C-alpha cells in the first residue's frame, strides 16, 4: 500500500520495496471503513468494481455486535448494530437526542432501528447497491488481504517500483544516528534518503535499529492474542451477511468477515484469562471445526503505539507503528491514514523537524482517539459471567478524554457532532480524520450496550415544533427503509453478479442531479443529454399512478411463488389478453415461463402488506397469506383481492432487465371495492372513494367466472 501510494503521489521518486521471503501476511480476511475508496483507491485511480473483483471483496454496511450484554447460553437475541453514516439533525440537534427523549417517555424501540434505515435491510441480508450499481447505503468492504497485497504489488511494480525479495541481516546507522545502510542476506546493500518500516510487530528499523520506545497499553485493553482461520460457507443456503460480526466470547470476541464462499474468522482473546488451548477449543466449537484439521493462524500482538512514528529518516507504517485489536476495523485504516499524512508532510533532504513533529502529532491523536472508543465497548459492558468481562468493567484505565465524553453522553450532550452533512463528511478526509468517531458512533455502541443518557437534552423539551419535525424524520426513515427493503437485491445475488465479471452501469446512475445553468440548459433545469439515469427515469415513471397486482405462478415442482407488479395492462378484448412485466431475476419469472401459465391478482386498498411481502427478498412470499387454487391453471388466487385473472402465456418479449409476458385470459372475476394504488413511491388512497365494479358484459364467450370456494382455501407455503 505504501509503495503504490507514494509512487502515485511522487512519480519521480525511486522506490525499492524489500520483502522478506517466508514471512506470511497477517489476516484471513480484512474489514474496512467507507473512506478506503476515497482516500486510497480513488487516489491510485483504481475503480471500486475492478479491485473488488480482483480481491474477492464483499460489502460491509456496519458491525453486528452479538452477546455483548449477556452470554450466548442465555439466548441469541442480544445484538446491536454499529452503522456507517451520520444522523440527520433537526434544528441543529442530532436525531439521537429526540430518540433519547422518546426513550425516557416509554418508547422501547432500539436506537438504530429508530434512527437508521439500515437495520431491517441488514437483517434481510440485502446489498447496499442496486443491481445496476447505484449506491443505496454507505458501506465499506471485506476482502482477502493476501489478494489485495498481490494486486497492489503488481500495480506498484508496473509503475516502476523495484520489488526485491530479500531478508534484512543488519542495519548500519548513519553519522547523525539515522538509518544509513541496510545489509541484506543476499549481500546487497540498500541506501536511501527515507526508510519506511513496514516490518510489522518486529519493528526492525524504528524500534530495533533506532531504539524508539513502544508505549505498551495492555492495561487499557486486555486482549493480546488471536487464533484465526478461513471457514467455508454455503452462500446459497444462508446468504452473505453485508456486515462484520463481533461475537462476544468468554475471554474476548470473535470476528466474522463474510466473502463469497467463505468467511474469515478469528477469536481475539486475553492470554491473562484464557490459555491458547482453551481459545482454540472455544473458537472451533463456535464454528464446528476440528482443531486437528483446521488451518489455524495463532497470533500474539502488542497493544499500543510508538512514542514517535517518525524518527530522523525513518517512518513506521502499519503494525510497526501502532496496533489496536480489530474490534472497529482500524487496522487497514491506520495504514492508509498514515500514508496520507506522510504524503501531506513529505520532506525534502532538509528534513524540517516541523514536518516530523506535525506528522507524529497526527498519528498519536488518531491512535488515542480510536483506543478510547474501543475501550468504551468494554468498560460499559453489562456482563458479569466471566473474569474477563468483570475485569473490563472494573479494572480498565480510562483516559481523561474518554471519561469526559462519557459524562457528556450521560448528560444528554452530543459527542463529536460533525461540522458537515453526510456527503461532506465522507468526501472531506481532513474533516473526517479529525472527527472520526462521531456522535452517531457513540450512540450506536453505548445504547447497544444498554447505556442511555440519564436525562434527555433539556433544550428540545422547550420546542414542540422541533419535536414534531423529529417525528416526521423518524417516519421518513421508516418509509425509506421499507422502500429499500422491497427493491434492493440480496447481498449474495449482487456479489454473484459483480464477481461474474458482468458490467454494472454505475456511471449512468451515480451522476449528481442536473442543475439549471445560465447556458446549456433547456429551460427546465436539465442539461440536454442522451444519458438518462435510472433514478431520473424512476422519478418520472413514479408520477404515473398505477394499480398494484401480485402475479402468481407454480414452479416446475408445483411450489407456488409470487411477485408484486405495477406493470399490468389490457391488450385485447377479442380475444381477452393482458400483459405483465416481470424482472428476469424474479423467481416467479422462471415459474411463469416453465409452466406457461400465471394469475394476476389485483389488490384492494387494504392489502398493502401483501404487496410489501410479495416484493420482499424472502423466499416464502405467500406464507401466511390465504389463497385458493385457480381451477384453470392451479395458480394461487389471493383471498379478498379486487379482481383476478388466470392466463396462459402466448408470448414473451425481452426488453432490458424485464420480460413482457402476454397472457390469454382463461378465467376472470371482479369485486366491488377500491384498488391499492402506487404513486411516487408511496401507496395512496382515495379521499372520495372509487366507483363500484361494472361486471355487466364482462363475461366473454371463452371466459368462465370462478369464485373461490372454501374447500380450496389454505395458507400458502410457496
Amino acid at each position: 500500500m505504501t509503495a503504490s501510494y507514494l509512487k502515485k503521489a511522487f512519480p519521480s521518486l525511486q522506490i525499492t520495496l524489500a520483502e522478506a521471503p517466508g514471512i506470511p501476511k497477517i489476516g484471513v480476511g480484512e474489514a474496512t471503513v467507507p473512506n478506503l475508496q476515497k482516500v486510497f483507491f480513488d487516489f491510485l485511480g483504481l475503480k471500486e468494481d475492478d479491485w473488488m473483483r480482483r480481491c474477492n471483496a464483499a460489502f460491509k454496511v456496519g458491525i453486528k455486535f452479538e452477546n455483548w450484554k449477556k452470554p450466548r447460553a442465555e439466548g441469541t437475541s442480544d445484538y446491536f448494530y454499529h452503522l456507517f453514516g451520520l444522523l440527520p439533525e433537526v434544528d441543529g440537534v442530532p436525531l439521537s437526542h429526540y430518540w433519547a427523549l422518546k426513550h425516557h417517555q416509554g418508547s422501547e424501540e432500539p436506537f438504530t432501528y429508530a434512527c437508521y434505515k439500515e437495520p431491517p435491510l441488514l437483517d434481510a441480508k440485502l446489498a447496499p447497491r442496486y443491481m445496476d450499481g447505484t449506491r443505496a447505503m454507505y458501506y465499506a468492504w471485506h476482502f482477502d488481504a493476501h489478494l489485495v497485497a498481490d494486486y497492489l504489488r503488481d500495480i506498484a511494480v508496473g509503475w516502476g517500483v523495484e520489488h526485491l525479495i530479500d531478508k534484512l541481516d543488519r542495519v548500519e546507522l548513519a553519522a547523525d544516528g539515522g538509518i544509513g545502510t541496510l545489509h541484506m542476506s543476499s549481500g546487497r546493500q540498500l541506501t536511501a534518503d527515507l526508510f519506511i518500516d513496514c516490518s510489522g510487530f518486529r519493528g526492525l528499523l524504528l524500534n530495533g535499529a533506532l531504539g524508539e520506545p513502544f508505549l505498551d497499553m495492555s492495561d487499557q485493553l486486555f486482549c493480546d492474542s488471536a487464533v484465526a482461520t478461513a471457514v467455508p460457507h454455503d452462500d446459497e443456503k444462508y446468504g452473505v451477511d453485508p456486515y462484520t460480526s463481533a461475537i462476544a466470547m468468554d475471554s474476548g470476541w470473535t470476528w466474522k468477515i463474510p466473502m463469497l464462499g467463505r468467511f474469515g474468522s478469528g477469536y481475539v482473546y486475553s492470554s491473562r484469562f484464557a490459555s491458547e488451548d482453551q481459545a482454540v477449543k472455544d473458537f472451533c466449537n463456535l464454528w464446528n471445526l476440528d482443531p486437528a484439521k483446521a488451518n489455524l493462524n495463532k497470533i500474539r500482538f502488542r497493544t499500543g503505539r510508538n512514542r514517535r512514528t517518525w524518527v530522523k529518516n525513518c517512518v513506521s507504517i502499519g503494525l510497526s507503528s501502532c496496533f489496536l485489536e480489530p474490534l472497529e476495523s482500524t487496522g487497514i485504516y491506520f495504514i492508509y491514514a498514515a500514508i496520507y499524512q506522510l504524503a501531506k508532510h513529505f520532506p525534502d533532504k532538509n528534513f524540517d523537524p516541523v514536518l516530523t513533529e506535525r506528522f507524529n502529532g497526527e498519528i498519536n491523536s488518531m491512535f488515542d482517539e480510536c483506543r478510547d472508543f474501543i475501550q468504551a465497548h468494554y468498560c460499559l459492558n453489562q456482563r458479569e459471567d466471566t473474569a474477563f468481562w468483570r475485569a473490563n468493567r472494573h479494572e480498565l484505565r480510562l483516559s481523561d478524554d474518554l471519561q469526559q465524553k462519557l459524562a457528556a453522553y450521560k448528560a444528554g450532550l452530543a459527542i463529536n457532532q460533525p461540522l458537515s452533512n453526510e456527503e461532506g463528511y465522507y468526501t472531506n478526509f481532513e474533516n473526517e480524520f479529525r472527527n472520526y468517531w462521531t456522535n452517531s458512533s457513540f450512540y450506536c455502541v453505548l445504547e447497544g450496550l444498554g447505556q442511555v443518557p440519564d436525562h434527555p437534552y433539556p433544550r428540545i423539551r422547550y420546542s414542540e415544533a422541533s419535536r414534531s419535525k423529529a417525528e416526521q424524520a423518524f417516519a421518513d426513515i421508516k418509509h425509506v427503509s421499507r422502500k429499500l427493503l422491497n427493491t434492493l437485491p440480496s447481498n449474495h445475488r449482487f456479489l454473484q453478479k459483480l464477481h461474474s465479471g458482468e458490467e454494472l452501469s454505475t456511471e449512468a446512475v451515480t451522476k449528481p442531479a442536473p442543475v439549471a445553468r445560465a447556458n446549456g440548459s433547456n429551460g427546465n433545469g436539465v442539461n440536454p443529454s442522451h444519458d438518462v439515469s435510472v433514478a431520473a427515469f424512476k422519478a418520472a415513471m413514479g408520477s404515473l399512478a398505477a394499480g398494484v397486482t401480485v402475479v402468481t405462478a407454480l414452479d416446475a415442482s408445483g411450489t407456488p411463488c409470487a411477485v408484486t407488479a405495477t406493470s399490468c395492462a389490457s391488450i385485447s378484448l377479442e380475444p381477452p389478453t393482458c400483459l405483465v412485466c416481470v424482472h428476469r431475476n424474479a423467481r416467479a419469472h422462471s415459474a411463469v415461463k416453465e409452466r406457461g401459465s400465471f394469475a394476476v391478482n389485483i389488490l384492494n386498498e387494504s392489502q398493502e402488506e401483501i404487496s410489501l411481502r410479495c416484493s420482499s427478498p424472502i423466499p416464502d412470499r405467500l406464507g401466511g397469506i390465504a389463497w385458493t387454487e385457480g381451477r384453470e391453471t392451479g395458480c394461487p388466487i389471493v383471498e379478498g383481492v379486487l379482481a383476478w385473472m388466470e392466463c396462459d402465456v402466448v408470448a414473451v418479449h425481452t426488453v432490458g432487465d424485464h420480460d413482457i409476458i402476454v397472457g390469454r385470459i382463461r378465467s376472470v372475476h371482479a369485486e366491488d371495492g377500491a384498488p391499492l394504488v402506487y404513486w411516487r413511491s408511496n401507496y395512496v388512497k382515495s379521499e372520495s372513494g372509487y366507483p363500484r365494479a361494472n361486471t355487466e358484459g364482462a363475461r366473454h364467450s371463452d371466459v368462465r367466472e370462478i369464485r373461490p370456494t372454501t374447500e380450496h382455501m389454505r395458507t400458502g407455503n410457496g
Side-chain angles (χ1 to χ4, degrees):
M1 292 179 74
T2 305
S4 59
Y5 191 102
L6 292 182
K7 190 62 178 178
K8 183 71 172 183
F10 309 105
S12 62
L13 285 183
Q14 296 180 15
I15 299 176
T16 298
L17 171 61
E19 183 177 1
I23 299 180
K25 302 173 182 67
I26 266 190
V28 292
E30 295 288 346
T32 60
V33 293
N35 56 32
L36 171 67
Q37 182 66 39
K38 177 69 177 179
V39 179
F40 186 75
F41 284 116
D42 279 354
F43 181 82
L44 297 186
L46 304 177
K47 293 182 178 180
E48 176 188 351
D49 292 346
D50 292 343
W51 71 257
M52 284 188 70
R53 291 186 175 107
R54 288 286 299 269
C55 305
N56 191 26
F59 296 120
K60 170 192 171 183
V61 182
I63 303 175
K64 184 177 184 180
F65 290 85
E66 300 182 37
N67 304 113
W68 283 71
K69 288 193 290 188
K70 60 185 179 181
R72 175 177 290 268
E74 296 181 16
T76 59
S77 61
D78 170 23
Y79 74 89
F80 65 89
Y81 288 113
H82 178 196
L83 301 164
F84 298 126
L86 303 182
L87 293 175
E89 293 182 359
V90 177
D91 293 338
V93 178
L95 195 60
S96 53
H97 291 43
Y98 296 93
W99 170 86
L101 176 62
K102 289 164 64 73
H103 177 81
H104 278 271
Q105 292 172 340
S107 173
E108 296 183 355
E109 185 174 23
F111 164 73
T112 52
Y113 282 83
C115 296
Y116 287 88
K117 64 181 180 292
E118 285 85 359
L121 312 179
L122 301 194
D123 291 342
K125 299 185 179 182
L126 301 186
R129 293 168 65 182
Y130 288 99
M131 294 302 287
D132 63 10
T134 309
R135 176 176 60 80
M137 296 176 267
Y138 281 102
Y139 58 85
W141 301 265
H142 299 143
F143 55 63
D144 185 317
H146 298 265
L147 294 178
V148 171
D150 292 344
Y151 177 56
L152 294 176
R153 175 202 62 209
D154 293 345
I155 287 174
V157 170
W159 289 344
V161 171
E162 180 186 7
H163 184 218
L164 175 66
I165 302 296
D166 210 342
K167 187 176 181 181
L168 177 66
D169 272 354
R170 66 183 179 88
V171 178
E172 180 182 338
L173 298 182
D176 65 354
I179 303 294
T181 303
L182 304 185
H183 295 267
M184 312 302 289
S185 294
S186 65
R188 183 171 177 177
Q189 298 180 4
L190 300 179
T191 59
D193 299 307
L194 182 68
F195 293 84
I196 314 294
D197 186 349
C198 297
S199 61
F201 293 132
R202 296 169 179 83
L204 296 178
L205 301 187
L206 201 81
N207 301 134
L210 297 183
E212 182 65 15
F214 182 83
L215 305 181
D216 180 80
M217 299 182 186
S218 57
D219 60 337
Q220 299 175 56
L221 288 168
F222 296 146
C223 290
D224 59 5
S225 306
V227 54
T229 193
V231 181
H233 187 256
D234 188 340
D235 297 343
E236 291 287 346
K237 184 175 182 180
Y238 299 108
V240 180
D241 299 341
Y243 49 80
T244 303
S245 293
I247 306 164
M249 308 280 281
D250 285 350
S251 299
W253 61 279
T254 291
W255 77 74
K256 178 186 177 186
I257 297 176
M259 292 167 281
L260 280 183
R262 67 175 180 85
F263 59 86
S265 185
Y267 179 13
V268 178
Y269 66 97
S270 171
S271 61
R272 171 181 161 189
F273 298 97
S275 66
E276 184 178 277
D277 289 344
Q278 185 63 51
V280 167
K281 179 181 178 182
D282 292 346
F283 176 65
C284 290
N285 285 343
L286 178 65
W287 303 125
N288 296 316
L289 302 175
D290 183 348
K293 297 180 180 179
N295 183 22
L296 301 177
N297 186 11
K298 299 172 183 177
I299 306 164
R300 291 297 298 270
F301 56 80
R302 58 182 189 176
T303 295
R305 60 170 171 80
N306 292 327
R307 183 182 62 184
R308 294 175 297 173
T309 301
W310 185 348
V311 177
K312 295 187 179 296
N313 64 340
C314 180
V315 181
S316 57
I317 298 287
L319 302 183
S320 62
S321 167
C322 57
F323 183 75
L324 284 172
E325 59 179 87
L327 186 58
E328 285 288 350
S329 308
T330 54
I332 299 293
Y333 170 70
F334 280 173
I335 295 172
Y336 62 80
I339 301 170
Y340 171 91
Q341 293 295 344
L342 175 59
K344 179 181 175 181
H345 297 88
F346 205 77
D348 56 22
K349 292 186 178 183
N350 293 319
F351 280 90
D352 190 321
V354 174
L355 296 174
T356 306
E357 292 167 6
R358 287 287 298 273
F359 174 86
N360 285 332
E362 298 281 29
I363 301 305
N364 292 352
S365 296
M366 172 190 74
F367 178 87
D368 292 350
E369 182 188 12
C370 291
R371 176 206 60 208
D372 289 354
F373 185 62
I374 290 178
Q375 275 190 312
H377 297 62
Y378 287 109
C379 68
L380 297 177
N381 86 85
Q382 299 181 12
R383 291 183 56 164
E384 292 278 358
D385 56 299
T386 69
F388 172 81
W389 292 106
R390 290 192 295 271
N392 275 285
R393 290 191 65 179
H394 305 297
E395 298 178 19
L396 281 182
R397 183 168 66 85
L398 308 182
S399 70
D400 291 341
D401 187 54
L402 176 58
Q403 294 184 63
Q404 291 172 6
K405 288 177 179 176
L406 297 181
Y409 176 82
K410 281 295 188 180
L413 294 173
I415 305 173
N416 290 353
Q417 189 171 351
L419 301 177
S420 65
N421 61 19
E422 197 168 49
E423 192 66 27
Y425 180 80
Y426 280 122
T427 57
N428 185 340
F429 186 59
E430 287 289 341
N431 180 17
E432 185 180 0
F433 182 83
R434 284 166 177 73
N435 200 18
Y436 193 66
W437 302 113
T438 65
N439 181 72
S440 305
S441 292
F442 273 93
Y443 260 84
C444 282
V445 172
L446 271 57
E447 188 278 332
L449 292 170
Q451 306 291 329
V452 296
D454 291 336
H455 48 76
Y457 183 42
R459 170 182 163 184
I460 61 177
R461 292 185 181 274
Y462 298 97
S463 177
E464 183 178 348
S466 295
R467 296 196 301 274
S468 178
K469 291 179 185 177
E471 286 300 323
Q472 183 60 52
F474 288 124
D476 290 345
I477 290 169
K478 288 284 192 298
H479 170 72
V480 172
S481 182
R482 186 171 65 181
K483 180 180 177 182
L484 293 174
L485 188 65
N486 294 316
T487 55
L488 285 173
S490 72
N491 194 39
H492 178 217
R493 179 180 161 205
F494 184 95
L495 292 174
Q496 280 185 313
K497 179 179 180 180
L498 175 71
H499 288 288
S500 70
E502 184 177 348
E503 289 298 321
L504 304 174
S505 303
T506 309
E507 297 294 331
V509 296
T510 56
K511 297 177 182 177
V515 179
R517 300 185 185 278
N519 49 34
S521 173
N522 64 5
N524 294 319
V526 179
N527 293 319
S529 172
H530 295 292
D531 294 330
V532 178
S533 75
V534 172
F537 179 60
K538 285 182 177 179
M541 293 305 298
S543 300
L544 179 65
V548 183
T549 71
V550 168
V551 177
T552 56
L554 301 174
D555 67 15
S557 65
T559 302
C561 52
V563 63
T564 299
T566 54
S567 297
C568 177
S570 168
I571 297 178
S572 166
L573 292 178
E574 295 294 340
T577 311
C578 71
L579 68 82
V580 292
C581 295
V582 181
H583 198 289
R584 294 204 306 277
N585 289 330
R587 180 179 163 213
H589 171 270
S590 58
V592 170
K593 294 186 69 174
E594 289 171 358
R595 296 293 287 257
S597 59
F598 62 95
V600 179
N601 298 265
I602 302 175
L603 303 186
N604 69 51
E605 65 177 351
S606 67
Q607 294 179 313
E608 179 179 332
E609 291 302 320
I610 293 177
S611 171
L612 292 172
R613 183 175 182 88
C614 291
S615 60
S616 72
I618 60 176
D620 184 16
R621 294 185 177 181
L622 289 173
I625 298 175
W627 56 272
T628 63
E629 292 181 356
R631 291 187 178 179
E632 297 296 322
T633 64
C635 296
I637 306 297
V638 177
E639 181 183 5
V641 294
L642 196 62
W644 51 263
M645 299 175 286
E646 289 186 274
C647 309
D648 287 336
V649 177
V650 294
V652 177
H653 304 282
T654 297
V655 181
D657 55 6
H658 279 64
D659 275 358
I660 301 172
I661 301 173
V662 180
R664 181 168 179 177
I665 300 170
R666 296 179 58 186
S667 67
V668 66
H669 176 75
E671 294 280 358
D672 293 335
L676 181 63
V677 177
Y678 198 67
W679 180 66
R680 290 186 173 175
S681 303
N682 284 290
Y683 295 99
V684 295
K685 295 183 180 180
S686 169
E687 295 180 356
S688 58
Y690 290 84
R692 292 171 56 84
N694 180 8
T695 58
E696 292 302 317
R699 300 182 183 92
H700 305 282
S701 59
D702 56 347
V703 177
R704 182 160 54 92
E705 180 184 38
I706 298 178
R707 290 184 177 273
T709 54
T710 55
E711 66 262 27
H712 292 118
M713 192 68 67
R714 65 176 178 175
T715 298
N717 61 356

